[in-house]
Structure formats: structure tokens, C-alpha cells
């Protein structure tokens, strides 16, 4: 059995760290974002979709990338604000001990995903990490989950996915796997 887990909002409450690092990066250019706005309108989405409205509506692609790159560089400064989903971590620990493969599938960057997983000492749990940088189509497309299944050579019937956001749940369901919705923790 393959167990796939989304990172942000599912395995870890990264909203405070993501909001703070995006806010710091945006403020360097004279823009800002509140924690509430980030949580409601940005979390779980791809930065190419949520940054432009925060940057005046029509920023250049280079400016959007500059903010995103700066956010990634600042992210490690805010890792102490991240809160783990301890119940899901226990489930994953048990599934891993029973011999099941684990994959992390996130729209986030490889750098930030690796940093936060290492911060919590669980990076080695995952035989595969699929990030937004590894797929052509972001969630709600199921590409990330399908890649994980292909990597481990399993079918959707042999896959469980834990997700929290609307677009993530859409991607998970479209993959054909069994989907478990993670509520607030």
C-alpha cells in the first residue's frame, strides 16, 4: 500500500510560516499580506496564482519569481511557527513500520518541503517527495499523485491519500485513490 500525504495543512500547519515568509518577501517590495488573507485565499494554492493580486494585479513574471525565491530563502527563519499534525504523524509512523511506502505530494517548493520535513525529523520517512517543481500541472490536476503511484508501481486501488484543501482533494479524487480529508488539527 502507498500512503500519500499532502504537506501544507495536512501533515503540518505551515500557514504561519508561509504567511510570515511571504509577508517578509512582499514587504521588501512594498506589498504585504495578512495571516488571515493568506490562510483564506492563498494556502494550498500555487504562488503563480495568488501572488499577482497581492502585487498590484499585474506584476511581471520575473517579479513574481523574485518574491517566491525570496520567500523560499526566508522560510527557514519561521519554522518554529509550524505545528505538526501529531495524529497523522502517528498514523504514518505506524504505516511505515508495517512496511507501507510513504510519499509526500505538495505544491510547495522542494527547498521548503525538505527544510520543514527535516525540521520535524521525518524527511527519511518518505521514499518520494513530489513538489510543485516536479510536475507540469499543479493541483487540482492529479499529476503529482499519479507520479507517486507510477514511482512505486501501484494502482489507485493500492493507494491512500491524505489531503485538506479543496484543490488538493480534487486532485486526490481525480487520481482514483482512496481519499481521506484532514480537518483542522
Amino acid at each position: 500500500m502507498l500512503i500519500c500525504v499532502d504537506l501544507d495543512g495536512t501533515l503540518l500547519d505551515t500557514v504561519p510560516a508561509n504567511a510570515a515568509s511571504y509577508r517578509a518577501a512582499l514587504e521588501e517590495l512594498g506589498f504585504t499580506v495578512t495571516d488571515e488573507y493568506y490562510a483564506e485565499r492563498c494556502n494550498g494554492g500555487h504562488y503563480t496564482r495568488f501572488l499577482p493580486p497581492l502585487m498590484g494585479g499585474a506584476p511581471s513574471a520575473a517579479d513574481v519569481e523574485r518574491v517566491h525565491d525570496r520567500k523560499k530563502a526566508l522560510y527557514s527563519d519561521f519554522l518554529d511557527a509550524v505545528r505538526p499534525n501529531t495524529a497523522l504523524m502517528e498514523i504514518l509512523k505506524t504505516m511505515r513500520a508495517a512496511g507501507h511506502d510513504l510519499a509526500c505530494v505538495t505544491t510547495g517548493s522542494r527547498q521548503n518541503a525538505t527544510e520543514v520535513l527535516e525540521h520535524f525529523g521525518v524527511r527519511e520517512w518518505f521514499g518520494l517527495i513530489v513538489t510543485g517543481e516536479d510536475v507540469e500541472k499543479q493541483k487540482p490536476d492529479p499529476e503529482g499523485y499519479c507520479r507517486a503511484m507510477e514511482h512505486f508501481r501501484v494502482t489507485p486501488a493500492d493507494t491512500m491519500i491524505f489531503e485538506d484543501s479543496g484543490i488538493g482533494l480534487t486532485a486526490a479524487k481525480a487520481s482514483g485513490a482512496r481519499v481521506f480529508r484532514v480537518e483542522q488539527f
Side-chain angles (χ1 to χ4, degrees):
M1 174 87 42
L2 171 62
I3 314 301
C4 294
V5 61
D6 173 55
L7 183 62
D8 300 308
T10 302
L11 183 61
L12 302 166
D13 177 6
T14 58
V15 170
N18 279 317
S21 54
Y22 271 118
R23 182 174 40 260
L26 285 163
E27 285 175 353
E28 291 177 2
L29 294 178
F31 303 105
T32 194
V33 61
T34 65
D35 290 346
E36 296 77 20
Y37 183 95
Y38 182 85
E40 292 172 12
R41 299 189 183 177
C42 305
N43 189 49
H46 195 259
Y47 73 94
T48 57
R49 289 191 288 268
F50 69 73
L51 277 179
L54 294 171
M55 299 174 66
S60 70
D63 283 343
V64 170
E65 291 302 320
R66 190 171 7 265
V67 168
H68 182 63
D69 288 345
R70 186 68 180 130
K71 177 264 180 192
K72 290 189 298 186
L74 293 165
Y75 186 72
S76 62
D77 295 342
F78 302 101
L79 290 179
D80 287 339
V82 175
R83 189 171 53 99
N85 182 338
T86 55
L88 182 54
M89 284 194 171
E90 283 301 315
I91 291 169
L92 296 178
K93 186 177 177 181
T94 300
M95 296 299 277
R96 182 173 176 257
H100 299 289
D101 290 311
L102 303 182
C104 181
V105 179
T106 178
T107 59
S109 70
R110 177 158 304 281
Q111 176 183 337
N112 291 163
T114 301
E115 286 173 336
V116 75
L117 291 170
E118 287 175 353
H119 181 79
F120 284 94
V122 297
R123 165 57 189 98
E124 70 279 358
W125 289 8
F126 299 97
L128 178 68
I129 298 173
V130 179
T131 70
E133 298 160 7
D134 301 318
V135 296
E136 290 182 29
K137 297 176 186 170
Q138 302 294 325
K139 295 175 187 178
D141 191 277
E143 181 182 349
Y145 289 115
C146 292
R147 282 187 179 222
M149 288 183 247
E150 289 169 10
H151 175 84
F152 289 102
R153 296 186 173 132
V154 298
T155 65
D158 295 318
T159 304
M160 294 170 41
I161 299 174
F162 291 88
E163 260 290 359
D164 71 309
S165 70
I167 63 171
L169 289 164
T170 299
K173 290 174 186 173
S175 76
R178 285 175 275 178
V179 179
F180 297 86
R181 181 181 183 150
V182 174
E183 299 284 333
Q184 293 181 336
F185 55 93

